[in-house]
Amino acid sequence: MKTLHTAYRVSDLAASLAFYTALGYTLVGRVDVGDGASLTVLKFPHEDVVTLELVHRPADGPVDVGTGFSHLVVQVDDLAGTVEALIRAGLWPGPVEQPAGPGGPQTSWLTDPDGYRIELVQWPPGHADGITAADFG
C-alpha cells in the first residue's frame, strides 16, 4: 500500500487554484460531480501522478478546517528561493526556520485561502526525501 494523494474541501475554487498554482502545482484535470460540485486534481510538474485534489462543494457552505487537521508538507530544493518566489507571486510564507538546529531541515509555513497550513521543507544535503527510520536512531 502507499498514500496516493491528499484531498481538501475548498470554499472558493478559483482562489484555491490561484494559490496552489502560485505554489507550483499544475492542473491535471477536473471532474464535475453534479449540483455544482467538482473535483480538481493537481500535481507538481516533476510528479508522475496527482498528489492534491481540491473538492469544491458550494452547497456545503464555507470550509471549517477545525482542530483535527495539522498540515501538508511540501519538499523544496531551495527554500530561500522558493520563499522569495512565493512572495513575488503574492503569497505570504513565514520566515525560514531551522527547528532541529543548523544541521537539520529548514522550514517555512504558509496558509491557503481556507486556512489549511502548508510546511515547506528543505532537507540538508544527503538526507533522504522525507522522514525515514534513520532520523530516529
Side-chain angles (χ1 to χ4, degrees):
M1 289 187 210
K2 67 179 177 176
T3 303
L4 295 179
H5 67 267
T6 299
Y8 287 158
R9 191 169 75 79
V10 300
S11 299
D12 181 335
L13 182 58
S16 292
L17 276 173
F19 177 89
Y20 285 101
T21 56
L23 184 55
Y25 282 93
T26 58
L27 176 66
V28 174
R30 180 177 166 182
V31 177
D32 291 320
V33 292
D35 296 325
S38 65
L39 309 174
T40 302
V41 293
L42 310 163
K43 70 179 194 70
F44 284 113
H46 68 280
E47 294 175 321
D48 295 327
V49 298
V50 165
T51 54
L52 182 63
E53 176 181 19
L54 303 178
V55 179
H56 186 232
R57 291 192 306 256
D60 289 354
V63 169
D64 177 10
V65 175
T67 60
F69 175 79
S70 181
H71 63 284
L72 172 71
V73 180
V74 173
Q75 179 176 314
V76 301
D77 293 328
D78 173 13
L79 185 58
T82 299
V83 165
E84 289 176 22
L86 293 174
I87 290 169
R88 284 193 306 273
L91 303 184
W92 300 107
V96 173
E97 302 171 357
Q98 295 180 309
Q106 297 178 39
T107 63
S108 175
W109 293 84
L110 74 152
T111 304
D112 88 347
D114 284 296
Y116 294 110
R117 294 174 0 143
I118 298 159
E119 178 185 13
L120 305 173
V121 64
Q122 177 184 329
W123 296 106
H127 193 281
D129 288 348
I131 298 170
T132 70
D135 291 306
F136 298 96

